[in-house]
Amino acid sequence: MAVDLPSANSALWQPNRKRSKRVQFIVKSIFALFAIVSIATTAGIVLTLIYETIAFFGEVSIIDYLTDTKWTPLFQSQKFGIIVLISATFLTSGIAIIVALPLGLLSAICLSEYASPEVRKVLKPILEILAGVPSVVYGYFALLFVTPLLQSLFAWFATFPVIGLAVPELEGFNALSAGIVLGIMITPLVASLSEDAIYSVPQSLRDGSYALGATKRETVTRVVLPAALSGIVSSVILAISRAIGETMTVTLAAGQNPRLGLNPFVPVMTMTAFIVQVSLGDTPAGSLAYKTIYAVGMTLFLLTLVLNLFSFWFVRRFREKYE
Amino acid sequence: MTQVSSSTELVTEAVLRAQGVKVYYGTNLAVRDVTLDIPFNKVVAFIGPSGCGKSTILRCFNRMNDLVASARVEGKITFHGRDLYASNIDPVETRRRIGMVFQKPNPFPKSIFENIAFGARINGYKGDMNELVEDSLRRAALWDEVKDQLQESGLALSGGQQQRLCIARAIAIAPEVILMDEPCSALDPISTLKVEELIQELKQQYTIVIVTHNMQQASRVSDLTAFYNAEATEGGNKVGYLVEYDRTEVIFQNPTQQATQEYVSGRFG
Ligand SMILES: Nc1ncnc2c1ncn2[C@@H]1O[C@H](COP(=O)(O)OP(=O)(O)OP(=O)(O)O)[C@@H](O)[C@H]1O
Ligand SMILES: [Mg+2]
């Protein structure tokens, strides 16, 4: 002890400060250890990525990587146009967000503004469970249910005169059903997080709006949703990064054909699907193909990082502090 | 039964009239048998201990209680002689004509301009919006302080400015009555004074009902004062009721009820 304070009834009060200090120290060290392990793991992953990516760009020019329009790293004539894989990822994630944004946002609004408290109490946890369904299930759902369904739908449309001629053929592997199912998969995420944001808008704002003669719809669309905007945007961005990084569904349902373009009816290969393809094959460590997956991984990492930075900035910029 | 004295001479024309109003939350009776008239272009203060139902009665006047699922209103409330709770009355329209200012300032997370324009837009205002915003802010004694920052967030203002913004927002939609639920309880003395001065101004054009815990405030701003009290029932619930309603100087200097006398002189409970 640094200073001995005079004590009136020292016989009665004798806390064991030494022991509690020791316990404190041990607990602190254990937590610090855990923290260091997780930070070190992340750092290790990023360092490996950087190391192998640099090795990759030692053999392939970064200009080719960014401008080539073919992706054939496993062929004799190797081409590394990452734009091919990015276009596929962009396509599936784009379709996914077209599906998930209206679906997720509407269910969030319904749940927080229109559902009774009892209904909300039941549905909210169900939504969160849905977000935890393994993605391989969604992948098979896309491949074995959604694709055949869409195919028969397309075939039916093709029987119509005039417009029937414009209906394309849907291949067994395609970006459309992968994207749709990806969208269904991230809908609970959008719904649940947006619902949190909408629900946490203070009741006093709603009261203020009603007291000015606003209807419920006006209150929701013009006061509550704008007030929850930053939370909604960050939930959507989180869902997009989830869609970009999602692997199982797109590998199973979208196919393995690296193809540049945004045609949703044909097989394509996303960045994640390529990583799966190489990882599953017997590519020797240290070979160029092996380094390629690190370069692709790095690209994926940078894409999501940029998205998350944007989300971070947006939330900081537009979050309203009510207190 | 409580006695409610009423001096008929001061009742010019009742804008709002409550007759035997009871409010329940679920099965709990919160306030019973409130009968009073709110006369045209007067300021009426509601005073009384916490939980006696002042806010509850206030919220009946613009049907804000409709938004509380468990609330039920019995008895009759008329607005210019028409039953406010009749099935053909639209609560949304009612709230445009009977505005409300809340205890805690609650500006929208929008610009100062939009805070005021919002109510006008949703109510289909066809006039010049810039003019309306300026006029409302002037009448709320806020224009000079914010005229150069109309595009900035309403949340960036101080508490007192926020509350005057909320008053400006309320008067922008041209209500006839303004209900104020403890509008100064979150404000410092200077801001409170400003809001009180504002109430004196607004009295020329609006009928005002103000809930307050501040006796001086009630005696300063109001023409009439209603004192509410609460009593415990056998079930243990507290039920509020109107004790006395009269001209403010009568309530503060010469009340007929002993409870009123004790409350206004601070010797209560
Ligand atoms: N939304 C509600 N649901 C259930 N009971 C409520 C609700 N609002 C108010 N009450 C009850 O009604 C009674 C009167 O409340 P009210 O808010 O009208 O009192 P008050 O006089 O305004 O008090 P204060 O001076 O503290 O604001 C209280 O017993 C309260 O518990
Ligand atoms: Mg109250």
Side-chain angles (χ1 to χ4, degrees):
Chain A
M1 228 183 281
V3 192
D4 273 323
L5 298 169
S7 161
N9 42 8
S10 51
L12 276 173
W13 300 89
Q14 293 184 324
N16 192 342
R17 301 233 189 268
K18 242 195 186 141
R19 190 174 151 270
S20 58
K21 263 189 189 155
R22 209 162 41 227
V23 172
Q24 176 107 341
F25 175 77
I26 293 170
V27 170
K28 249 189 193 165
S29 320
I30 291 173
F31 285 139
L33 194 73
F34 286 149
I36 288 167
V37 165
S38 67
I39 292 171
T41 316
T42 314
I45 292 171
V46 174
L47 284 179
T48 321
L49 265 182
I50 293 174
Y51 178 79
E52 298 286 355
T53 306
I54 289 171
F56 171 81
F57 284 118
E59 296 179 44
V60 177
S61 113
I62 192 156
I63 312 257
D64 288 348
Y65 185 74
L66 293 176
T67 57
D68 241 331
T69 54
K70 287 213 167 49
W71 181 262
T72 54
L74 305 178
F75 288 10
Q76 207 64 47
S77 68
Q78 289 180 317
K79 294 273 191 219
F80 299 91
I82 188 67
I83 193 81
V84 175
L85 301 189
I86 290 181
S87 78
T89 295
F90 182 77
L91 185 59
T92 51
S93 317
I95 295 171
I97 212 66
I98 288 171
V99 171
L101 190 63
L103 228 56
L105 210 52
L106 283 178
S107 22
I109 293 169
C110 264
L111 215 54
S112 76
E113 298 297 307
Y114 293 92
S116 68
E118 297 83 43
V119 172
R120 180 174 184 274
K121 225 163 45 195
V122 175
L123 284 184
K124 190 83 204 291
I126 291 182
L127 214 57
E128 271 147 22
I129 292 171
L130 259 175
V133 173
S135 60
V136 66
V137 176
Y138 283 104
Y140 270 98
F141 177 67
L143 185 64
L144 303 178
F145 180 79
V146 176
T147 298
L149 188 77
L150 287 175
Q151 277 172 330
S152 44
L153 207 67
F154 274 47
W156 183 66
F157 272 125
T159 62
F160 284 95
V162 190
I163 57 160
L165 298 173
V167 175
E169 200 179 324
L170 187 66
E171 300 197 26
F173 294 107
N174 62 78
L176 184 61
S177 55
I180 289 173
V181 171
L182 212 52
I184 295 171
M185 184 171 156
I186 60 176
T187 295
L189 195 67
V190 175
S192 178
L193 293 179
S194 303
E195 203 270 348
D196 287 339
I198 294 170
Y199 194 73
S200 63
V201 171
Q203 182 60 33
S204 65
L205 283 189
R206 297 184 178 87
D207 285 346
S209 167
Y210 286 125
L212 290 171
T215 59
K216 176 138 200 175
R217 184 183 53 78
E218 286 160 344
T219 301
V220 170
T221 56
R222 303 173 75 157
V223 174
V224 178
L225 287 185
L229 185 67
S230 69
I232 292 172
V233 167
S234 74
S235 84
V236 170
I237 288 178
L238 193 68
I240 295 177
S241 354
R242 179 89 197 276
I244 289 176
E246 164 44 43
T247 310
M248 245 19 243
T249 312
V250 288
T251 311
L252 286 175
Q256 311 260 305
N257 296 38
R259 178 188 330 234
L260 182 64
L262 295 176
N263 181 354
F265 308 116
V266 294
V268 292
M269 179 187 252
T270 64
M271 291 189 268
T272 49
F274 170 76
I275 295 175
V276 169
Q277 187 193 33
V278 174
S279 310
L280 291 183
D282 41 13
T283 320
S287 70
L288 182 56
Y290 171 84
K291 287 173 195 149
T292 313
I293 65 175
Y294 284 95
V296 173
M298 189 72 189
T299 313
L300 207 53
F301 172 73
L302 286 179
L303 269 180
T304 15
L305 186 70
V306 166
L307 271 176
N308 284 315
L309 286 178
F310 172 76
S311 161
F312 186 71
W313 168 83
F314 191 92
V315 169
R316 289 260 310 245
R317 170 80 178 69
F318 290 97
R319 185 179 46 208
E320 302 294 350
K321 294 183 194 68
Y322 297 105
E323 292 310 320
Chain B
M1 198 51 231
T2 346
Q3 258 179 278
V4 176
S5 68
S6 63
S7 322
T8 40
E9 20 125 15
L10 46 88
V11 178
T12 45
E13 179 208 339
V15 176
L16 282 162
R17 166 170 284 175
Q19 287 164 289
V21 173
K22 283 183 183 170
V23 187
Y24 295 86
Y25 287 110
T27 55
N28 284 346
L29 179 61
V31 201
R32 64 170 168 80
D33 306 321
V34 173
T35 299
L36 60 85
D37 284 355
I38 312 285
F40 181 71
N41 282 14
K42 290 275 189 288
V43 179
V44 176
F46 283 7
I47 59 170
S50 199
C52 65
K54 305 177 297 291
S55 304
T56 300
I57 290 295
L58 199 69
R59 292 163 60 90
C60 289
F61 287 140
N62 68 341
R63 297 197 58 172
M64 282 299 277
N65 276 339
D66 289 27
L67 304 171
V68 180
S70 67
R72 202 175 81 243
V73 180
E74 276 179 14
K76 196 166 177 188
I77 297 179
T78 56
F79 179 49
H80 291 303
R82 283 173 60 199
D83 186 357
L84 257 189
Y85 283 77
S87 57
N88 61 346
I89 297 285
D90 180 7
V92 172
E93 173 60 16
T94 306
R95 291 184 204 123
R96 189 192 69 73
R97 298 185 54 186
I98 306 178
M100 187 167 223
V101 176
F102 297 83
Q103 179 169 359
K104 235 180 76 192
N106 57 349
F108 302 124
K110 301 175 185 290
S111 70
I112 292 171
F113 186 93
E114 281 304 315
N115 259 282
I116 306 225
F118 173 76
R121 288 219 178 89
I122 56 174
N123 287 295
Y125 177 70
K126 291 285 178 293
D128 183 342
M129 195 62 82
N130 291 318
E131 226 167 76
L132 178 76
V133 170
E134 174 170 349
D135 184 50
S136 311
L137 285 170
R138 274 191 197 285
R139 282 198 277 165
L142 189 60
W143 174 253
D144 291 330
E145 289 160 64
V146 302
K147 60 172 185 273
D148 300 321
Q149 51 182 94
L150 291 179
Q151 294 314 319
E152 270 160 50
S153 170
L155 292 172
L157 298 175
S158 75
Q161 291 174 321
Q162 287 188 7
Q163 194 63 304
R164 277 180 284 147
L165 180 62
C166 291
I167 293 174
R169 178 174 87 178
I171 56 187
I173 53 170
E176 293 157 52
V177 182
I178 305 174
L179 309 173
M180 300 183 168
D181 194 348
E182 301 183 38
C184 303
S185 65
L187 307 185
D188 68 282
I190 308 252
S191 306
T192 300
L193 209 66
K194 281 198 178 140
V195 172
E196 283 182 15
E197 280 167 7
L198 179 57
I199 293 172
Q200 296 293 359
E201 284 289 310
L202 296 174
K203 193 166 93 170
Q204 317 298 323
Q205 296 165 56
Y206 305 95
T207 304
I208 296 172
V209 186
I210 177 171
V211 175
T212 180
H213 279 292
N214 181 334
M215 295 301 115
Q216 282 88 35
Q217 181 167 70
S219 61
R220 276 194 300 260
V221 302
S222 71
D223 303 303
L224 294 140
T225 298
F227 171 61
Y228 294 79
N229 201 353
E231 64 186 9
T233 57
E234 296 98 76
N237 286 322
K238 280 207 329 191
V239 180
Y241 60 100
L242 178 61
V243 177
E244 191 168 359
Y245 178 42
D246 212 320
R247 289 205 316 271
T248 298
E249 45 297 4
V250 175
I251 292 287
F252 280 91
Q253 282 152 29
N254 198 12
T256 54
Q257 302 291 313
Q258 201 192 337
T260 314
Q261 171 67 43
E262 283 172 3
Y263 187 78
V264 297
S265 61
R267 280 184 280 114
F268 193 78

